Amino acid sequence: MSPDIRLAQQPEADELLGRSPLADLIGMLLDQQIPMEWAFAGPYTIAQRLGGDDLDAHEIAAYDPEAFVGLLSAKPAVHRYPGSMAKRVQQLCQYLVDEYDGDVTAIWRDVATGKELLARLNALPGFGKQKSQIFLALLGKQLGVRPEGWREAAGAYGDEGSYRSAADITGPESLAKVRAFKQRTKAAAKAAAKKQAPAE
């Protein structure tokens, strides 16, 4: 049975996230500089515009780059920066084809530890440490992928009962808590930067 995912807050988009690991990975890639639910609805929009109800790494990697930019740019755009994100999605899919024959689950299928899985996620194009840790936490908390030491490898994002990231969103209430946490973090970072700024 597919896990009950509520990241996009849209039934069809969430249903795709529940059954497609590639959709989850692309949603995580898109999750920057736009609201989380917009990012995680993106894979469903891409699938629709490709004329299917699922995503295929081989198809996306082989797609004409200009046409793929057009696909993400069509209104409503999949991202605030559809051009650069189209390129990133294709780079990610090309890497998956080259390294895992397009099978996303192969990233974690045979890993023994959370540390090893984090290293594999870190190697993905467009995935820095923070994004990799959030996705690792999402895998563990919501998708049942729990290699030994996964919580530790995910850092604070792996903490039980936390509301820090996409990994903790299971509905509108938890989305609001995660959003509030992010706002507090942003405000604290701004205040710290102000403190460190030299006086005029």
Side-chain angles (χ1 to χ4, degrees), residues 117-129:
L117 178 49
L118 183 64
R120 286 190 179 188
L121 292 170
N122 252 326
L124 297 171
F127 275 67
K129 187 184 177 193

Side-chain angles (χ1 to χ4, degrees), residues 66-115:
E66 269 184 49
F68 197 66
V69 169
L71 208 85
L72 269 71
S73 303
K75 297 217 178 322
V78 168
H79 196 277
R80 183 179 290 161
Y81 305 109
S84 59
M85 279 303 175
K87 194 176 175 181
R88 283 187 181 188
V89 170
Q90 285 198 292
Q91 284 170 342
L92 176 64
C93 288
Q94 188 59 60
Y95 182 87
L96 293 169
V97 168
D98 294 343
E99 298 294 322
Y100 299 105
D101 195 26
D103 178 8
V104 177
T105 61
I107 298 172
W108 53 81
R109 195 180 302 128
D110 60 351
V111 295
T113 66
K115 203 173 169 184

Side-chain angles (χ1 to χ4, degrees), residues 1-140:
M1 199 177 105
S2 296
D4 187 17
I5 301 291
R6 301 273 179 86
L7 290 170
Q9 311 277 304
Q10 291 176 22
E12 301 89 345
D14 282 329
E15 192 272 329
L16 175 62
L17 293 168
R19 63 182 163 82
S20 168
L22 179 56
D24 298 317
L25 203 61
I26 290 174
M28 190 75 242
L29 180 70
L30 294 171
D31 185 17
Q32 58 191 63
Q33 297 175 302
I34 58 171
M36 266 177 293
E37 58 274 38
W38 180 8
F40 282 96
Y44 177 73
T45 307
I46 294 170
Q48 291 278 290
R49 290 176 184 175
L50 285 169
D53 61 356
D54 210 340
L55 294 167
D56 181 277
H58 290 91
E59 181 188 5
I60 292 172
Y63 212 82
D64 175 72
E66 269 184 49
F68 197 66
V69 169
L71 208 85
L72 269 71
S73 303
K75 297 217 178 322
V78 168
H79 196 277
R80 183 179 290 161
Y81 305 109
S84 59
M85 279 303 175
K87 194 176 175 181
R88 283 187 181 188
V89 170
Q90 285 198 292
Q91 284 170 342
L92 176 64
C93 288
Q94 188 59 60
Y95 182 87
L96 293 169
V97 168
D98 294 343
E99 298 294 322
Y100 299 105
D101 195 26
D103 178 8
V104 177
T105 61
I107 298 172
W108 53 81
R109 195 180 302 128
D110 60 351
V111 295
T113 66
K115 203 173 169 184
E116 191 186 341
L117 178 49
L118 183 64
R120 286 190 179 188
L121 292 170
N122 252 326
L124 297 171
F127 275 67
K129 187 184 177 193
Q130 187 185 34
K131 205 178 269 290
S132 297
Q133 285 188 313
I134 292 171
F135 193 72
L136 177 53
L138 176 66
L139 286 171

Side-chain angles (χ1 to χ4, degrees), residues 136-146 150-151 156-163 165 167-168:
L136 177 53
L138 176 66
L139 286 171
K141 290 179 175 182
Q142 299 203 42
L143 301 168
V145 177
R146 299 178 183 127
W150 70 270
R151 282 192 191 274
Y157 299 107
D159 292 352
E160 205 165 344
S162 67
Y163 292 98
S165 71
D168 305 306

